Amino acid sequence: MKTLILSLLLALAPANARACELALVIALDVSRSVDKFEYILMRNGVGDALLDDDVIELIGWMPGGLQVTVTQWGGAGQQRQPIAWRRLSDRQSVIEFVEDLIKIDRGFWYADTSVSEALLHADFMFQQLETPCRRHVIDVSGDGISNAGPEVNPISIAVAERGVTINGLVVAGAQPDPVVYYLSEVIRGPLAFVEVTQGYDDYARAMKRKLLRELAPSISMLD
């Protein structure tokens, strides 16, 4: 049923929207609160989620496919883009992307947490796109609140005003509560949401659910 509904929705999309439906920045938290084992679970969890049959099916239905890049972020001035923009359109392109993804090492150790600079860096990535996309989404992970860099709220508002949706994947459990923080300070834009996981062991499941909601927001409420 979902596939049928999605195919009808995409068939009705205007032709000029089909160059690319979605540009997605996957911004991974590599601050000091994420240990080396949690980093591997997070990185590989993203890969496992992308390889899920439901996710690949949705990517295949998207007009122009999915433009995706991966960034890593920590404290002030600690952001990097280990994987440049790639277009995913079918199973093989997803497999090739994930093969590169699971090889990347973390860029920073013992870093502070600056969500504001993570958002600025991720937003800048959209300027690199060679193909225009109808939707721009930043998918920012985190397990804590900012302790470095500028205040988050004004920056998240400014980024959203440029037409970007900011979603969060939050690992719950720290204090102050990062879930409350992301809900109030970070997520912005059309249909923005926070996906919550209780630990990195469950990261792949949470990431899959998050991707499904981002790839097809118009039918995500059918879950």
Side-chain angles (χ1 to χ4, degrees), residues 45-66:
V46 174
D48 290 343
L50 283 166
L51 289 172
D52 183 87
D53 287 341
D54 292 337
V55 172
I56 291 175
E57 182 179 16
L58 283 178
I59 291 173
W61 279 108
M62 298 178 74
L66 166 69

Side-chain angles (χ1 to χ4, degrees), residues 107-130:
F108 309 101
W109 292 88
Y110 308 111
D112 290 331
T113 302
S114 179
V115 178
S116 55
E117 294 203 25
L119 294 178
L120 289 172
H121 173 74
D123 184 48
F124 178 75
M125 295 300 99
F126 294 120
Q127 297 182 28
Q128 301 175 350
L129 284 168
E130 297 180 358

Side-chain angles (χ1 to χ4, degrees), residues 6 56 100 165:
L6 181 61
I56 291 175
D100 290 339
T165 295

Side-chain angles (χ1 to χ4, degrees), residues 98-113:
V98 171
E99 286 176 345
D100 290 339
L101 170 66
I102 63 175
K103 296 174 185 175
I104 64 173
D105 294 325
R106 65 188 297 161
F108 309 101
W109 292 88
Y110 308 111
D112 290 331
T113 302

Side-chain angles (χ1 to χ4, degrees), residues 143-162:
D143 62 4
I145 71 171
S146 278
N147 58 23
E151 184 180 351
V152 175
N153 189 51
I155 290 175
S156 62
I157 290 173
V159 170
E161 286 177 346
R162 289 194 285 275

Side-chain angles (χ1 to χ4, degrees), residues 75-103:
Q78 295 176 310
Q79 301 85 33
R80 67 189 288 256
Q81 183 188 16
I83 298 183
W85 285 104
R86 299 268 284 274
R87 186 173 78 91
L88 309 184
S89 58
D90 55 20
R91 182 176 297 276
Q92 185 58 37
S93 61
V94 174
I95 290 173
E96 291 173 359
F97 181 83
V98 171
E99 286 176 345
D100 290 339
L101 170 66
I102 63 175
K103 296 174 185 175

Side-chain angles (χ1 to χ4, degrees), residues 1-10 54 57-58 61 219 222:
M1 177 61 72
K2 282 190 178 182
T3 300
L4 175 61
I5 294 172
L6 181 61
S7 64
L8 291 173
L9 289 172
L10 298 182
D54 292 337
E57 182 179 16
L58 283 178
W61 279 108
I219 64 170
L222 295 179

Side-chain angles (χ1 to χ4, degrees), residues 25 27 73 115 118-119 138-142 166-169 182 186 210:
V25 178
W73 62 274
V115 178
L119 294 178
I138 296 172
D139 182 344
V140 58
S141 70
I166 304 167
N167 295 326
L169 198 167
Y182 269 69
V186 180
K210 190 167 190 290

